[in-house]
């Protein structure tokens, strides 16, 4: 009788093949979901970093203009906004460029619209960031 109990115990010990396959399939699905979340978070982080860099580049262009004391900016479009000073942030973006439109505004102030364009590293699509501000007739008075 002890032998029959021992045989039954041996048959029930461990996992069956369907149990193992089900466990492997469930683990694989969880891992695939985790990897997908990692990939998505990397793409979001990269896209956010590019947008922040573009915003900082646009701000740099405006600050370059504001620091020119007693400047008289001609109205019109500037296809390369680096004519007013260095914009080191552009080197961090793929195929980046900064353009600017200077137009009239209230009084003697000028309306300045800066557009930074680049190619996204995430999906290779063209992206733009636009920043608009007013600059007084004397720039920044020192």
């Amino acid at each position: 009788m002890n032998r029959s109990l021992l045989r039954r115990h041996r048959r029930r010990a461990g996992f069956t093949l369907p149990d193992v396959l089900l466990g492997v399939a469930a683990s694989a699905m969880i891992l695939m979901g985790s990897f997908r979340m990692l990939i998505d978070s990397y793409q979001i982080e990269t896209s956010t970093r590019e947008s922040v860099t573009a915003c900082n580049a646009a701000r740099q262009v405006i600050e370059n203009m504001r620091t020119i004391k007693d400047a008289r900016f001609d109205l019109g479009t500037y296809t390369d906004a680096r004519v007013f000073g260095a914009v080191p942030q552009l080197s961090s973006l793929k195929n980046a460029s900064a353009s600017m439109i200077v137009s009239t505004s209230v009084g003697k102030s000028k309306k300045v619209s800066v557009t930074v364009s680049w190619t996204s590293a995430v999906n290779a699509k063209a992206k733009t960031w636009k920043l608009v501000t007013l600059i007084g007739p004397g720039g920044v008075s020192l």
Side-chain angles (χ1 to χ4, degrees), residues 87-109:
V87 186
Q89 296 88 344
L90 291 178
S91 63
S92 300
L93 298 170
K94 184 178 178 183
N95 300 327
S97 65
S99 61
M100 181 173 52
I101 298 173
V102 179
S103 58
T104 57
S105 184
V106 179
K108 294 182 179 181
S109 296

Side-chain angles (χ1 to χ4, degrees), residues 7-84:
R7 285 183 193 152
R8 285 187 201 160
H9 180 67
R10 282 187 193 164
R11 284 188 214 152
R12 293 183 182 170
F15 298 104
T16 63
L17 183 59
D19 292 337
V20 172
L21 290 176
L22 184 63
V24 168
S27 297
M29 288 174 37
I30 290 170
L31 284 174
M32 286 177 19
S34 298
F35 285 133
R36 185 65 207 171
M37 285 181 3
L38 284 173
I39 291 169
D40 288 348
S41 67
Y42 172 75
Q43 290 175 340
I44 291 169
E45 185 271 334
T46 301
S47 179
T48 302
R49 185 173 10 91
E50 288 175 347
S51 295
V52 168
T53 302
C55 177
N56 288 337
R59 292 173 68 179
Q60 182 68 50
V61 169
I62 290 171
E63 287 304 313
N64 289 346
M65 286 188 70
R66 284 186 175 158
T67 57
I68 300 173
K69 188 174 189 270
D70 298 325
R72 293 189 177 93
F73 302 110
D74 293 331
L75 301 179
T77 301
Y78 296 85
T79 55
D80 186 6
R82 291 177 290 185
V83 296
F84 297 103

